Amino acid sequence: MRDVFHEQLDAVFDDLAEICRRVESSVHRATESLLGGDAALAEQVISDDIEIDRARERVEDNAFSLLSLQAPVAGDLRVVVAALRMVSELERMGDLSVHVAKIARLRVPAIAVPDEIRPTVQRMAEIAEDMVTRASQIILSRDVRAAIELGRDDEIMDQLRRTSFAQLLSDDWAHGVEAAVDIALLGRYYERIADHAVSIAHRVVFVVTGENPRSVAATEAAAEAGA
Amino acid sequence: MRDVFHEQLDAVFDDLAEICRRVESSVHRATESLLGGDAALAEQVISDDIEIDRARERVEDNAFSLLSLQAPVAGDLRVVVAALRMVSELERMGDLSVHVAKIARLRVPAIAVPDEIRPTVQRMAEIAEDMVTRASQIILSRDVRAAIELGRDDEIMDQLRRTSFAQLLSDDWAHGVEAAVDIALLGRYYERIADHAVSIAHRVVFVVTGENPRSVAATEAAAEAGA
């Protein structure tokens, strides 16, 4: 029984990693449509989101049948529930890239992001996409150290958001209210994508160690300090 | 065994309703701090959020012990997992009211919301709060009709957001970029609170009927049309 359970559980995590790669592509293309003012690409991101939703349903069905048929307890139970939570977060990340694509579409043939703030937005998008890429690797590798590392990158995103606000609110800002509102919302969407990636990484730490990431990081730091 | 399970499950739902009432208070006070420029009240909303987080942990522990000790299958299993999801959403709603309070705090001694757009923001806040109130009643009453009704109110929130954007982007807007960005983000936070309330109501429909709300609503509509 045990082996069937763990095989099926591995299959669930493989599916999660696969969905995470879809989300990565969605974030990537949404950014491309945003920075290139590409309406067709934006449409594609919006219509492709249904595939992420469908993949989520499949993972949920598999996780439920695992719970029903194998009735795992303790640690195993928490792992399956963690998988269910991870898939909800992945779906949200897909929705957030749809929001980015919708801002792109709304401004075509113009480009929502003025040249002057483009490097900041591009950097936010890159960080978000990179965090999603690493989250999918972490789901597959169950690499606790990489997962804790990912959590630390959240700070860079915070900083970029502060930079973007400073630019929007400076006296030099010559692009008016509409562009400023777009940038503020885009920043929020990329920040939330990054938050979810961190949360997924933290759930992997929990899945592997049975502990929450903060205590694992503290133990590691203490070990390093003692070494 | 069956009875112990359902008693414990009822206790979990009572706890969920209790957390939902805390969220309602959080949304209410955040709005008050925002519209009154009340820094002390904003601080209180921010620091009280830890209580929602702690209550979430207790519900999670209870739900996990239910799963572990009673190993429910099929419908019962899905109900417990739905409860776990509802509590995550409630926690997020608490976080979102903290975001509202943080915007209030940032602008003190000024008030983030200019008089001219105050009615729109106030209406968004009222709708969000009302939806949270009704969500907590729905959790307790398991009233499927009320839950489906709640889903329909989402449209009002969408409309208010469109109204707020029209105001921000009109030539008459004299409050600059900072206030516009605040309003856009506030609109997003209230909208997300409302989304989560709808999602919670939909989970209650699923808990009661075993079906998703869309098909339940369609069946009801067909019955009414035939009557």
Side-chain angles (χ1 to χ4, degrees):
Chain A
M1 268 315 238
R2 281 349 318 288
D3 277 358
V4 173
F5 173 79
H6 286 104
E7 259 172 40
Q8 290 180 344
L9 192 59
D10 282 347
V12 167
F13 274 80
D14 288 349
D15 287 343
L16 287 176
E18 171 62 31
I19 299 177
C20 199
R21 279 192 297 269
R22 272 182 204 272
V23 169
E24 179 193 332
S25 158
S26 188
V27 174
H28 180 82
R29 288 177 300 151
T31 303
E32 219 175 283
S33 74
L34 176 73
L35 297 177
D38 185 336
L41 191 57
E43 284 301 342
Q44 212 186 79
V45 171
I46 295 162
S47 60
D48 283 358
D49 190 51
I50 185 85
E51 288 173 31
I52 294 176
D53 297 347
R54 283 198 191 121
R56 171 189 62 80
E57 282 170 27
R58 279 196 301 276
V59 168
E60 287 187 351
D61 288 345
N62 292 338
F64 273 114
S65 80
L66 250 187
L67 285 174
S68 264
L69 299 175
Q70 310 281 343
V73 294
D76 285 344
L77 174 64
R78 285 181 181 264
V79 171
V80 181
V81 174
L84 279 167
R85 288 178 160 166
M86 287 158 81
V87 80
S88 297
E89 301 207 72
L90 288 166
E91 185 189 23
R92 278 299 307 152
M93 292 156 88
D95 293 344
L96 288 160
S97 49
V98 165
H99 287 320
V100 170
K102 282 186 176 168
I103 289 185
R105 185 177 65 176
L106 196 61
R107 302 300 170 221
V108 166
I111 291 176
V113 180
D115 280 345
E116 173 192 339
I117 203 166
R118 190 185 170 100
T120 311
V121 173
Q122 193 154 19
R123 193 82 194 96
M124 280 197 275
E126 281 165 4
I127 300 271
E129 190 185 327
D130 177 59
M131 288 171 83
V132 179
T133 308
R134 286 156 62 201
S136 70
Q137 290 159 353
I138 288 166
I139 293 170
L140 285 179
S141 67
R142 321 265 173 111
D143 182 338
V144 168
R145 196 172 283 258
I148 291 172
E149 207 57 54
L150 185 63
R152 291 186 184 130
D153 278 16
D154 225 16
E155 184 47 38
I156 305 174
M157 187 60 100
D158 285 352
Q159 230 155 1
L160 284 165
R161 264 203 105 195
R162 280 193 294 273
T163 306
S164 74
F165 279 121
Q167 288 178 277
L168 298 182
L169 302 178
S170 87
D171 293 337
D172 299 341
W173 183 255
H175 307 284
V177 166
E178 184 175 85
V181 165
D182 283 347
I183 302 297
L185 290 173
L186 287 165
R188 174 78 186 153
Y189 301 146
Y190 284 120
E191 181 188 42
R192 290 296 300 152
I193 291 170
D195 287 345
H196 283 294
V198 169
S199 167
I200 286 172
H202 283 181
R203 293 191 199 282
V204 170
V205 174
F206 174 79
V207 161
V208 176
T209 68
E211 282 178 68
N212 78 53
R214 235 175 287 265
S215 47
V216 174
T219 313
E220 285 209 345
E224 272 167 27
Chain B
M1 267 317 237
R2 279 349 316 287
D3 278 359
V4 174
F5 174 79
H6 286 103
E7 260 172 40
Q8 291 180 344
L9 192 60
D10 282 347
V12 167
F13 275 80
D14 288 348
D15 288 343
L16 286 177
E18 170 60 32
I19 300 178
C20 200
R21 278 190 299 268
R22 273 182 202 273
V23 170
E24 179 192 333
S25 157
S26 188
V27 174
H28 181 81
R29 288 177 301 151
T31 303
E32 220 175 283
S33 74
L34 176 74
L35 296 178
D38 185 336
L41 191 57
E43 284 301 341
Q44 212 186 81
V45 172
I46 296 163
S47 60
D48 283 358
D49 189 51
I50 186 85
E51 289 172 31
I52 294 176
D53 296 347
R54 283 197 191 122
R56 172 189 60 81
E57 282 170 26
R58 279 196 301 277
V59 168
E60 286 187 350
D61 288 344
N62 292 339
F64 274 114
S65 79
L66 250 189
L67 286 174
S68 263
L69 299 175
Q70 310 282 344
V73 294
D76 286 343
L77 174 64
R78 285 181 181 262
V79 171
V80 181
V81 173
L84 280 167
R85 288 179 161 164
M86 286 158 81
V87 79
S88 299
E89 301 206 74
L90 289 166
E91 185 189 22
R92 279 298 306 151
M93 292 156 88
D95 293 344
L96 288 160
S97 47
V98 165
H99 287 319
V100 170
K102 283 186 174 168
I103 289 186
R105 185 176 67 177
L106 196 62
R107 301 298 170 223
V108 166
I111 291 176
V113 180
D115 281 344
E116 172 190 340
I117 203 166
R118 189 185 171 99
T120 311
V121 173
Q122 193 154 17
R123 194 81 195 97
M124 280 197 275
E126 281 165 4
I127 299 270
E129 191 186 326
D130 176 59
M131 288 171 83
V132 179
T133 308
R134 286 156 61 199
S136 69
Q137 290 160 354
I138 289 167
I139 293 171
L140 286 179
S141 67
R142 322 266 173 107
D143 182 338
V144 168
R145 197 173 282 255
I148 291 172
E149 208 57 52
L150 185 63
R152 291 186 185 130
D153 278 15
D154 225 15
E155 183 48 38
I156 306 174
M157 186 60 101
D158 284 353
Q159 229 156 0
L160 284 165
R161 265 204 104 195
R162 280 194 293 275
T163 306
S164 73
F165 279 121
Q167 288 179 276
L168 298 181
L169 302 178
S170 88
D171 292 338
D172 298 340
W173 182 255
H175 308 284
V177 167
E178 186 175 83
V181 165
D182 283 347
I183 301 297
L185 290 173
L186 288 165
R188 174 77 185 153
Y189 300 146
Y190 285 120
E191 181 189 41
R192 289 298 299 152
I193 290 170
D195 287 345
H196 283 295
V198 170
S199 167
I200 286 172
H202 283 181
R203 292 190 201 284
V204 170
V205 174
F206 175 79
V207 161
V208 176
T209 67
E211 281 178 71
N212 78 53
R214 233 175 287 265
S215 46
V216 173
T219 311
E220 286 209 343
E224 273 166 27

